[in-house]
Amino acid sequence: MSDCLFCKMVSGEITPDTLYEDDDVLAFRDINPQAPTHVLVIPKQHIATLNDVDEIHAPLVGKMVRTAAAIARQEGFADAGYRTVMNCNADGGQTVFHIHLHLLGGRPMHWPPG
Ligand code: AMP
Ligand code: ZN
């Protein structure tokens, strides 16, 4: 997807502040952090929204979740706790249409979210 911001990060056209990368996923710091640590974990494959996640993507989404947990451990707040979020479409507040798992940590989170 040539016009997708996150695909441009995967291709190297845009260089994010990367924390982790392998053949399947990329994790980088959010440009507008909402917590002391705010990381986005994306699949390298373009999938527009959570509604487009199919059975075949289940291992990939599992890897995204495990990557977020590994980064939480690495950043030192795994035991204290953290939040992961995937926003979907307009009411969910999705602004970049390439799925991404937000990892927020380093402060207490509140519920319900806004
Ligand atoms: P969402 O609103 O759930 O689609 O999340 C999109 C996220 O991407 C927001 O938290 C933005 O701050 C973040 N974002 C947008 N542009 C960039 C960028 N160039 N580098 C890192 N994060 C970005
Ligand atoms: Zn994309």
Side-chain angles (χ1 to χ4, degrees):
M1 287 284 288
S2 56
D3 60 345
C4 170
L5 176 67
F6 290 171
C7 282
K8 286 179 181 164
M9 293 181 179
V10 171
S11 71
E13 195 178 326
I14 295 173
T15 308
D17 184 358
T18 301
L19 291 175
Y20 177 79
E21 179 173 14
D22 64 22
D23 287 345
D24 303 312
V25 301
L26 177 65
F28 54 88
R29 294 194 191 277
D30 196 292
I31 204 168
N32 183 24
Q34 301 302 311
T37 296
H38 186 172
V39 173
L40 301 177
V41 183
I42 69 169
K44 289 196 165 178
Q45 178 183 352
H46 181 87
I47 302 168
T49 81
L50 193 49
N51 292 336
D52 302 303
V53 171
D54 224 327
E55 178 76 38
I56 198 170
H57 301 125
L60 182 59
V61 173
K63 191 164 187 178
M64 290 167 64
V65 173
R66 283 174 48 78
T67 298
I71 292 171
R73 278 193 295 277
Q74 188 181 298
E75 293 283 305
F77 53 72
D79 289 341
Y82 54 92
R83 175 148 315 154
T84 56
V85 177
M86 280 180 84
N87 297 324
C88 184
N89 281 336
D91 278 6
Q94 186 176 7
T95 59
V96 178
F97 288 84
H98 177 136
I99 60 166
H100 46 281
L101 183 64
H102 293 259
L103 166 66
L104 299 132
R107 66 167 172 83
M109 301 293 154
H110 305 291
W111 197 263

